[in-house]
């Protein structure tokens, strides 16, 4: 986020498109989130389970995307690309982008190595001599394939790029899109947190790292109990397919009758110097404090925090300590990953969408399985949704490689 406010007013979010384990569209997401519905199960997509695995991987998978692409194009697009187009379509229509000059529309795709499962399936088939490699694989392994697919499906002619921030990728995309609008580079910019299509190899590596949970055989019988952010019984994150698109525009450039979900009034994206998965209390604190300073408010003005909340022991402990030290003990706090699972690249974007939807509804979704909070003195939203008027919210995302982000969102009229 730019440090100077002379470049323009904070951008507003005017369109949201989402896909999750609940399906496609904002309404099913809102209903599922507020109900804290259970969508966890054994992962079933081809390439998600290793042959002969004694304990299968669990998580959340969404329904297949609607057929919005021409068949000749859909045949060449992977799951991540087809979901991106469906999600972008919802946000595009709601934001009225058909009336914006295509040369003034930008796209930032959050995520890297987005189509690994497709690559593993192709490699397996090719290695066994069962298939001739499709020429489309020659470019689909680049993350820009999703940029190109979206820009071919919609008239986006300003710019397109991808940003990788591991689990913070979606939030980094929102920050970059906000900067592009605020600086006047484009009139509208879409931040897309892309679906991270993990393979069984990726899942096994994350489990070997100690990040992916659960690590016990009983989870197969009760997968809905495995994802437990900030609970004493947590033992790792649980993967969940997700994708979200947010359209950012200037408040003074909205069509007549258009309503904004809220504005991006502050943000920070900082490096904390860690190469691997270990979190940094100092880095998370810096991001929170810089985002609040960018918004021109103190911690006491934050009504609600959408926490990163993965369910990893060290990650949750560090984040809870950062929230306390940052002076956010009076804010209400929940973890969207407890319901949707961890969307990796998409997480930051769909959590910003969830935050804005909760602000509009005046209602906070529950945190599934939060029975014994690790730090009881923080303002946790437990297993029941709560009514709350949110004027300012803070959304946090932290990624492997020492990437710490924070976004401050303001409700319309606040």
């Amino acid at each position: 986020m730019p440090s100077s406010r002379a470049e323009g007013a904070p951008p507003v979010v005017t369109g949201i498109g989402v896909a999750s384990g609940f399906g496609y569209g904002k309404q099913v997401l809102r209903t599922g989130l507020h109900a804290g519905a259970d969508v966890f199960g054994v992962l079933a997509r081809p390439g998600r389970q290793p042959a002969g695995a004694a304990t299968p991987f669990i998580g959340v998978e969404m329904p297949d995307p609607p057929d919005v692409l021409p068949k000749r194009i859909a045949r060449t697009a992977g799951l991540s690309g087809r979901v991106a187009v469906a999600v972008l379509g919802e946000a595009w229509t709601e934001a009225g982008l058909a009336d914006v000059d295509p040369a003034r529309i930008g796209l930032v795709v959050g995520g890297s190595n987005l189509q690994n499962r497709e690559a593993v399936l192709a490699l397996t088939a090719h290695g066994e001599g069962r298939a001739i490699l499709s020429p489309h694989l020659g470019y689909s392994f680049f993350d820009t394939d999703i940029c190109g697919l979206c820009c071919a499906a919609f008239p986006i002619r300003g710019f397109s790029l991808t940003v990788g921030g591991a689990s913070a990728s979606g939030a980094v995309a929102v920050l970059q899109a906000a900067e592009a609008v605020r600086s006047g580079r484009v009139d509208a910019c879409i931040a897309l947190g892309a679906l991270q299509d993990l393979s069984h190899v990726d899942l096994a590596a994350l489990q070997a790292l100690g990040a992916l949970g659960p690590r016990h055989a009983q989870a197969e019988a009760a997968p809905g109990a495995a994802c437990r952010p900030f609970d004493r019984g947590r033992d790792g994150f649980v993967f969940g397919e997700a994708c979200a698109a947010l359209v950012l525009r200037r408040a003074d450039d909205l069509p007549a009758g258009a309503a904004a979900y809220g504005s991006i009034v502050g943000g920070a994206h900082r490096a904390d110097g860690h190469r691997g998965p270990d979190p940094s209390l100092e880095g998370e604190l810096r991001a929170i404090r810089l985002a609040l300073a960018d918004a021109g408010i103190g911690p006491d003005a934050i009504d609600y925090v959408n926490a990163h909340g993965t369910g990893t022991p060290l990650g949750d402990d560090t984040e809870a300590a950062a929230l306390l030290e940052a002076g956010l003990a009076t804010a209400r706090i929940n973890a969207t990953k407890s319901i949707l699972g961890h969307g990796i690249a998409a997480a930051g974007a769909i959590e910003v969408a969830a935050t804005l939807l909760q602000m509009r509804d005046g209602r906070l979704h529950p945190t599934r399985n939060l029975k014994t909070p690790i730090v009881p003195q923080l303002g946790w939203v437990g297993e029941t949704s709560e009514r709350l008027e949110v004027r300012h919210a803070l959304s946090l995302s932290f990624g492997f490689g020492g990437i710490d982000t924070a976004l401050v969102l303001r409700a319309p009229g606040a």
Side-chain angles (χ1 to χ4, degrees), residues 6-395:
E7 293 169 322
V12 296
V13 177
T14 64
I16 295 176
V18 291
S20 68
F22 296 120
Y24 293 78
K26 293 182 288 294
Q27 190 53 49
V28 293
L29 177 64
R30 291 163 79 174
T31 301
L33 284 176
H34 291 312
D38 182 1
V39 288
F40 291 86
V42 173
L43 298 176
R45 289 200 193 279
R48 287 269 167 84
Q49 300 290 353
T55 304
F57 293 118
I58 65 169
V60 177
E61 291 175 330
M62 65 178 66
D64 287 338
D67 295 326
V68 295
L69 286 167
K71 288 185 178 180
R72 64 182 180 83
I73 302 298
R75 286 196 301 268
T76 69
L79 178 65
S80 298
R82 289 182 285 118
V83 170
V85 171
V87 163
L88 202 161
E90 181 186 11
W92 182 280
T93 300
E94 183 178 37
L97 292 186
D99 297 325
V100 179
D101 178 1
R104 301 292 299 166
I105 302 174
L107 171 67
V108 183
V109 174
S112 56
N113 302 312
L114 294 166
Q115 304 187 79
N116 278 8
R117 184 181 63 90
E118 306 274 355
V120 166
L121 289 172
L123 180 63
T124 301
H126 183 65
E128 295 174 352
R130 295 189 287 111
I132 298 173
L133 284 179
S134 165
H136 301 293
L137 288 171
Y139 55 78
S140 65
F141 70 85
F142 291 109
D143 296 323
T144 51
D145 180 45
I146 294 179
C147 286
L149 186 66
C150 290
C151 292
F154 299 91
I156 302 168
R157 301 295 182 268
F159 69 88
S160 68
L161 55 87
T162 66
V163 291
S167 297
S169 295
V172 174
V174 174
L175 285 162
Q176 292 294 319
E179 182 172 352
V181 171
R182 190 158 147 186
S183 67
R185 183 180 178 189
V186 288
D187 297 331
C189 195
I190 303 150
L192 177 79
L195 187 152
Q196 189 95 50
D197 196 2
L198 297 183
S199 73
H200 67 85
V201 177
D202 306 309
L203 293 165
L206 288 166
Q207 195 166 69
L209 187 64
L212 184 75
R215 291 179 289 278
H216 52 84
Q218 293 84 355
E220 185 181 358
C227 192
R228 317 184 65 86
F230 299 113
D231 186 80
R232 293 190 184 278
R234 71 208 183 282
D235 73 344
F237 79 80
V238 180
F239 171 65
E241 291 182 343
C243 183
L246 300 101
V247 177
L248 279 66
R249 300 182 67 173
R250 295 195 309 270
D252 59 2
D253 194 33
L254 301 184
Y261 285 92
S263 51
I264 312 293
V265 294
H269 171 199
R270 289 295 182 268
D272 64 34
H274 286 70
R275 177 192 175 197
D278 291 344
S280 163
L281 174 59
E282 186 273 338
E284 293 180 15
L285 270 172
R286 283 180 66 217
I288 292 169
R289 288 169 172 165
L290 287 168
L292 292 173
D294 191 42
I297 61 174
D300 56 331
I302 297 295
D303 303 300
Y304 160 62
V305 178
N306 187 288
H308 183 58
T310 61
T312 59
L314 183 57
D316 284 4
D317 287 347
T318 304
E319 185 174 7
L323 291 168
L324 273 178
E325 194 164 336
L328 292 162
T330 61
R332 302 305 290 167
I333 305 165
N334 63 13
T336 300
K337 292 181 183 70
S338 71
I339 301 174
L340 300 182
H342 193 338
I344 318 294
I350 201 161
E351 287 161 14
V352 169
T355 299
L356 292 167
L357 292 172
Q358 291 174 93
M359 292 172 74
R360 176 170 283 191
D361 291 345
R363 186 179 176 192
L364 303 180
H365 71 65
T367 305
R368 277 183 55 83
N369 301 317
L370 184 56
K371 300 180 185 299
T372 52
I374 56 174
V375 181
Q377 59 266 46
L378 285 170
W380 306 110
V381 180
E383 294 186 288
T384 304
S385 68
E386 298 180 4
R387 293 284 180 184
L388 183 69
E389 180 184 354
V390 179
R391 296 158 298 172
H392 291 95
L394 182 68
S395 182

